């Protein structure tokens, strides 16, 4: 894992930006999950709630996995 972060921060072209976006995505997941739920309780339809969760968590998982899968493929 230490080698991955070294590679991400030094050799990956957008590694520092991706790390900042990952931190931002995790922050958004923590802060917006309650907001989505409270909006649903106030009468928001179910479909926008599901799409919001997919977009929020999909962004975070995508930002986390893309450089990791690239690193894993380069080390083969």
């Amino acid at each position: 894992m230490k080698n991955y972060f070294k590679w991400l921060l030094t050799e990956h072209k957008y590694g520092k930006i991706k790390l900042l976006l990952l931190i931002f995505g995790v922050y958004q997941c923590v802060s917006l999950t309650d907001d989505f739920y409270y909006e649903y309780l106030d009468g928001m339809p179910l479909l926008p709630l599901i799409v919001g969760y997919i977009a929020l968590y999909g962004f975070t998982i995508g930002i986390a996995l893309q450089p990791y899968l690239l690193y894993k493929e380069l080390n083969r």
Side-chain angles (χ1 to χ4, degrees):
M1 199 60 145
K2 184 178 179 182
N3 292 334
Y4 168 70
F5 284 114
K6 182 180 178 185
W7 172 83
L8 182 66
L9 295 175
T10 58
E11 296 178 25
H12 192 275
K13 186 175 182 180
Y14 300 111
K16 294 174 186 169
I17 294 171
K18 296 239 179 193
L19 187 63
L20 289 175
L21 285 174
L22 176 62
I23 293 168
F24 175 72
V26 169
Y27 171 75
Q28 290 297 324
C29 287
V30 170
S31 66
L32 287 178
T33 298
D34 290 341
D35 293 340
F36 281 156
Y37 181 67
Y38 291 136
E39 285 292 325
Y40 173 70
L41 290 179
D42 286 339
M44 183 173 75
L46 184 61
L47 187 59
L49 175 76
I50 293 170
V51 171
Y53 279 132
I54 290 172
L56 184 66
Y57 287 96
F59 168 80
T60 305
I61 291 169
I63 286 292
L65 281 181
Q66 190 271 337
Y68 178 72
L69 294 176
L70 181 65
Y71 174 75
K72 200 167 102 174
E73 192 66 32
L74 287 173
N75 280 338
R76 284 188 180 199

